[in-house]
Amino acid sequence: MIYHLHWEGTVKPKARPRVTRHGTYMPQEYVQMKASAVKSFSDQWKAIGQSTPVDHQVRCYMFFRGKHSQAIDYVDNAPGTLYDALVEAKILTNDNGKHAPGGDHDLEHSKAPPIVDILIAPWLPFKDSILQMNEVAEWLRHN
């Protein structure tokens, strides 16, 4: 089973804690965007009839479409924010290499409003994943 979730809007890249003489904090824009994504993902997860996290290894396909900033790293930092939100929303139990060992992230830049389509699929060894990739390609053709 492949699950589809989406995020509408700009993705704030995964932030590192900032250390100042007044303490440690995370940038407010990142915190707010991630909190919104957590709520959105949680609501979408419930809407498709799911109430518990995926209990197997996954491969996440993230398709960034529309007017996303081209200055953001779409291989690591932007997906990192979304992975963190998926874990916090209790859709994935963890986003480390043991639970989500492979993924695919792509940017299709245009003038359309920014959206990210996230497909969460069972992880298969690469040599066995061609059928899954065909299913993802078919989904992309229709969406």
Side-chain angles (χ1 to χ4, degrees):
M1 170 103 197
I2 296 179
Y3 300 104
H4 171 239
L5 303 174
H6 66 276
W7 169 251
E8 294 180 20
T10 303
V11 176
K12 299 296 179 189
K14 187 168 180 170
R16 288 192 163 74
R18 307 289 193 247
V19 179
T20 70
R21 62 185 175 151
H22 302 290
T24 302
Y25 73 96
M26 294 295 279
Q28 195 60 32
E29 285 182 340
Y30 167 78
V31 171
Q32 290 173 342
M33 182 258 140
K34 190 176 99 172
S36 293
V38 168
K39 175 152 180 19
S40 175
F41 293 156
S42 182
D43 290 348
Q44 291 175 60
W45 196 240
K46 288 175 187 163
I48 60 174
Q50 299 300 314
S51 60
T52 59
V54 176
D55 64 353
H56 53 269
Q57 289 180 309
V58 298
R59 183 181 305 274
C60 291
Y61 299 89
M62 295 187 184
F63 301 102
F64 294 80
R65 301 186 210 193
K67 194 172 183 174
H68 290 279
S69 170
Q70 293 184 335
I72 295 174
D73 177 358
Y74 289 95
V75 172
D76 183 25
N77 293 332
T81 298
L82 298 174
Y83 276 110
D84 287 349
L86 290 167
V87 170
E88 199 170 316
K90 296 184 175 32
I91 294 166
L92 302 180
T93 56
N94 203 312
D95 63 351
N96 67 19
K98 180 179 178 186
H99 292 88
D104 191 15
H105 317 113
D106 199 13
L107 169 63
E108 184 182 303
H109 194 267
S110 71
K111 293 182 180 182
I115 189 167
V116 183
D117 286 301
I118 303 167
L119 302 178
I120 302 171
W123 182 84
L124 299 171
F126 193 74
K127 65 182 179 60
D128 298 329
S129 65
I130 192 69
L131 293 175
Q132 187 178 79
M133 289 180 187
N134 288 339
E135 188 175 344
V136 169
E138 186 66 23
W139 184 90
L140 282 169
R141 274 192 281 282
H142 293 91
N143 293 288

